[in-house]
Amino acid sequence: MEKKTDQQFNRVLTRIDVLFLAFGAMIGWGWVVLSGEWIISAGSIGAIIAFLIGGVLVTFVGLTYAELSSAIPKAGGGLYFVLRALGPKAAFIAAWAIALGYISVVAFEAVALPTVIEYLFPNFKFGYLWTVAGWDVYASWVLIGVVGSLFITAINHRGIKEAAFFQTLLTIAIFLVGMLLLGGSLANGETMLLKPFFKDGWAGLFSVMLMTPFMFVGFDVVPQAADEMNIPFKSIGRILILSVVLAVLFYVAVIFGVSYVLPLNEIANSSLPTADAMSAAFGNPFFAKVLIIGGLAGILTSWNAFIIGGSRILYAMAKENVLPCWFAYIHPKYKTPSNSIWFIGILSTFAPFLGRPMLVWLVDAGGLTITIAYFMVAWAFIVLRKKEPDMPRPFQAGRLPIVGWIALAFTIGFILLYMPGMPSQLVWPYEWAIFLGWWVIGIVFLIRINRMKKSGQWTAEVQEAEEL
């Protein structure tokens, strides 16, 4: 099948562009809307520990991505890492898993945006449509999410440099607002408000840890856009790890800031406890609005980054004939995978129709597939260290493959947390329906891979991996 892939991407992304792309992706809206849930579930110190453990996981996984991104700098990232190490079927599983993770984040932001507007303008809802899981869906609420989705999609359609500039400005705004919260909390908070330090033991800790892969996902957007970076390959790995460290520190600062200034009963009764903590820290409700604006910027940065990452992984899969060639089309003027961008953008417009309960469903279902993708990349890291020890690695994650084994063990542990019978199991039927439905579609494409092999329709890249 002939593919329209003659056009090339523009190599225009600088170090700053790449850093803000990853960091902005990881600090989206979750820190505003979910901080109270983390503290209520595990206690103030328990939630911080859960995020530090999650940060350790992501750092080890990030090191595997950092090495492989510098060694195999191609749009599609994990697809090519796993393809080279484990072959086309395993590569499809990794790419399909991360694709749902990215699309779930984009859909999450389409639901988060009207949630922010609802906080700023409590009476804006009108036009009742239906009720989902006990939550009433209104036409005005849905419209906000749909318009936001089309806006972000249009920016990405017009070019990677425009999207990167947009990302940089908004990420700076988020960081400043977060530091304002921490400063106000330190100045006016009380140590006694941190109690209870721990809540519900291991069950509480695990329930927060379950969300951390979803909260930290974003560093892996970096290798997806490798074909559009104008930086040394070694810098890709360094920037990726720096972005993870910054995200861990940011989340810990937010959890501490909220729990240090806001009593637990107020956290439990608040729809957006981070905003209420900002108001309490400065004794003025105006500052809650300031934080909401920072949260709004976080929605847009995460939304922006994951359309970039998701569209590039779909492009790469189509380029290798795994998905229809329509997804591999590069716009002749803007040099973006425009069909893949609009596919994700239009798909995300449906999320607001399911209302606010989609926020938690998408966090959990998307988090499982993200963790599966991390597992596949860690496995590929170990295999390539053994199979291709002399492969050039501009950024090397240590001399021994211990980083890969630790990342593999962590990801297995996190995958198990989502399974039935565990304290943090996926909710039936909603979260399992999202997860299983995605893989039912994936089976169709796995069958396509088998047919391609029998008919000899491998691309040169896949043929080489198959021979290795």
Side-chain angles (χ1 to χ4, degrees), residues 378-395:
W379 185 10
F381 174 92
I382 295 167
V383 170
L384 286 173
R385 277 292 187 96
K386 182 177 181 180
K387 189 165 69 171
E388 298 188 54
D390 298 324
M391 180 175 68
R393 293 171 169 87
F395 178 94

Side-chain angles (χ1 to χ4, degrees), residues 50-110:
F51 265 82
L52 288 174
I53 294 173
V56 170
L57 161 68
V58 173
T59 299
F60 277 105
V61 176
L63 284 167
T64 65
Y65 269 89
E67 177 171 305
L68 294 175
S69 297
S70 68
I72 311 172
K74 301 190 64 170
L79 171 71
Y80 290 106
F81 308 158
V82 180
L83 176 64
R84 187 155 175 170
L86 303 171
K89 291 181 181 178
F92 170 81
I93 291 172
W96 195 244
I98 205 66
L100 176 58
Y102 290 165
I103 292 171
S104 69
V105 175
V106 174
F108 174 96
E109 307 303 352

Side-chain angles (χ1 to χ4, degrees), residues 98-348:
I98 205 66
L100 176 58
Y102 290 165
I103 292 171
S104 69
V105 175
V106 174
F108 174 96
E109 307 303 352
V111 176
L113 180 61
T115 302
V116 177
I117 302 301
E118 183 182 359
Y119 187 90
L120 292 172
F121 307 101
N123 299 318
F124 91 100
K125 293 194 296 186
F126 59 85
Y128 172 79
L129 297 176
W130 44 68
T131 298
V132 177
W135 200 87
D136 295 337
V137 181
Y138 290 85
S140 58
W141 199 90
V142 170
L143 182 62
I144 295 294
V146 170
V147 171
S149 181
L150 295 176
F151 171 72
I152 296 295
T153 304
I155 289 177
N156 276 270
H157 168 75
R158 290 187 61 84
I160 186 68
K161 192 61 179 179
E162 290 80 358
F165 179 73
F166 180 73
Q167 184 84 356
T168 298
L169 291 180
L170 294 177
T171 301
I172 292 172
I174 302 166
F175 179 78
L176 292 176
V177 169
M179 292 306 97
L180 189 63
L181 168 64
L182 179 61
S185 178
L186 286 171
N188 300 297
E190 299 179 42
T191 304
M192 62 176 294
L193 295 178
L194 291 172
K195 296 181 179 180
F197 298 133
F198 298 94
K199 191 170 182 290
D200 295 336
W202 286 107
L205 190 69
F206 283 151
S207 67
V208 177
M209 285 173 59
L210 177 66
M211 294 190 183
T212 57
F214 191 90
M215 294 298 109
F216 286 123
V217 66
F219 69 87
D220 45 309
V221 169
V222 170
Q224 311 304 340
D227 283 345
E228 295 158 281
M229 297 178 192
N230 189 25
I231 61 176
F233 295 151
K234 189 172 186 177
S235 296
I236 298 175
R238 291 174 174 174
I239 293 170
L240 192 153
I241 296 303
L242 176 60
S243 70
V244 173
V245 173
L246 290 176
V248 172
L249 294 176
F250 184 87
Y251 278 116
V252 168
V254 167
I255 294 170
F256 176 83
V258 172
S259 56
Y260 195 65
V261 78
L262 208 62
L264 186 63
N265 65 317
E266 291 187 26
I267 292 174
N269 294 323
S270 173
S271 59
L272 289 177
T274 314
D276 290 339
M278 183 76 135
S279 176
F282 290 94
N284 191 324
F286 167 77
F287 284 91
K289 307 295 183 184
V290 172
L291 188 131
I292 291 299
I293 293 173
L296 178 61
I299 289 175
L300 298 178
T301 57
S302 186
W303 209 335
N304 186 51
F306 286 103
I307 283 190
I308 292 173
S311 60
R312 272 61 178 180
I313 195 68
L314 294 181
Y315 158 83
M317 294 173 78
K319 184 181 177 183
E320 301 307 328
N321 271 335
V322 176
L323 295 183
C325 63
W326 181 85
F327 288 98
Y329 175 74
I330 300 295
H331 194 281
K333 179 179 179 181
Y334 301 124
K335 307 300 183 182
T336 56
S338 55
N339 288 352
S340 292
I341 289 170
W342 281 105
F343 173 79
I344 295 175
I346 297 300
L347 191 62
S348 68

Side-chain angles (χ1 to χ4, degrees), residues 34-44 47 199 255 258-259 264 267:
L34 296 174
S35 65
E37 184 175 338
W38 303 331
I39 295 166
I40 292 168
S41 297
S44 59
K199 191 170 182 290
I255 294 170
V258 172
S259 56
L264 186 63
I267 292 174

